Amino acid sequence: MLIDIIAGARPNFMKIAPIIHALQARTKEGGPLRYRLVHTGQHYDTRMSHDFFVQLRIPQPDVNLEVGSGSQAAQTGSIMVRYEELLLKSPPALCLVVGDVTSTLACAITAKKLGVAVAHVEAGIRSGDITMPEEVNRIVTDSLTDWFFTTSDVANANLRRAGFGEEQIFFVGNTMIDTLLANMDRLERPAFFAELDLVPHRYFVTTLHRPANVDRGDGFSQMLGAIARGARDLPVVFPVHPRTAKTLRALGELPANVHLVEPQPYLQFNWLVKNAFAVITDSGGITEETTVMGVPCLTLRDTTERPETIDIGTNVLVGTNPEALAPALETLFAGDWKRGGIPPLWDGRAASRIVEVLEQLLVQK
Ligand code: UD1
């Protein structure tokens, strides 16, 4: 019985890796499920894609739709056309999508229209901010999903409230955390660390790539200034996403304590986070990793789809106003940051739970 596993953009790769490994392990034991890994090509750079496959031991994709860059509508359309061709030639029993990127949405729509069942990993999370493309992707994908694999009780409640049945919702934990825990002993110090004279626990890590933060040069410049000042005498390591790089090029000189580096491979990036004094970010996934590693995290967004990182974890929602950063950093430098705990089922075993459920749903029904 064949399952398509869809991956398209960087935050998908750490979510599919443990599912593939769990399927491979079951196959060795005589399990009935087989997979076909479909890479849409939404992210295609070595640093945004290939490095993750190598480091996370993800096998070569069986199919690459090679859509490349474009507007979201253009990417969605191309993925749909190319994935439809594949499905018409050889339909799987299930299309499994993860996360909330353009590829997630495009493949869920295409599969559903051809009568292929859809499973969504990381289903049910909501920021409530419909101006985020990811929120549109979450809502539409979930509206077409047959089986929901969730990371939190808040996600379960969101799905129940939307009218989905209890028998469709499976609270399994977090595959992104499976990957983190599986790789904790393999994390690698990046080469630039010594070159920049950085010292463990005496630097910040920053990532910014959301359109709201980086697409307007003046706002971005103010935010970067606030981060640099707020960090006091500590260096700020900033791995730059390709989208952010475009705006940065136009900004001119940057504060002296801000060090721009290339997008980091998985093992290097998480080494940096694990050993940081704190992280300042507008990412969602990173707030989960900082929570599990117990590293303080300041999120430069007004909403989050991952409230457990705030209620249970080390994350604080600072907002998008640069002036809000200073008081949060006061708390941090005063040593008063909350300690945080680990959300339920973020224990490294989500993927094996998913495979167990899929066997029951697809084979023993
Ligand atoms: C996408 C996801 C976002 C995720 C982010 C992480 C959607 C709607 N958004 O946003 O949820 O947090 O990835 O990386 O899917 N580019 C490259 N090389 C690449 C890929 C992209 O240079 O390998 C360039 C593109 O040409 C484009 C920019 O980066 O100019 C943005 O890429 P895109 O995939 O469109 O969206 P992201 O902003 O990365």
Side-chain angles (χ1 to χ4, degrees), residues 37-57:
L37 176 55
V38 180
H39 192 322
T40 65
Q42 179 183 342
H43 285 178
Y44 48 83
D45 278 353
T46 302
R47 288 191 164 269
M48 300 297 285
S49 176
H50 177 76
D51 285 350
F52 288 79
F53 277 70
V54 174
Q55 289 197 335
L56 301 180
R57 299 171 177 148

Side-chain angles (χ1 to χ4, degrees), residues 9-26:
R10 183 171 61 179
N12 290 161
F13 306 137
M14 48 293 252
K15 294 171 194 166
I16 61 155
I19 301 174
I20 289 177
H21 297 151
L23 281 167
Q24 288 172 329
R26 279 293 295 141

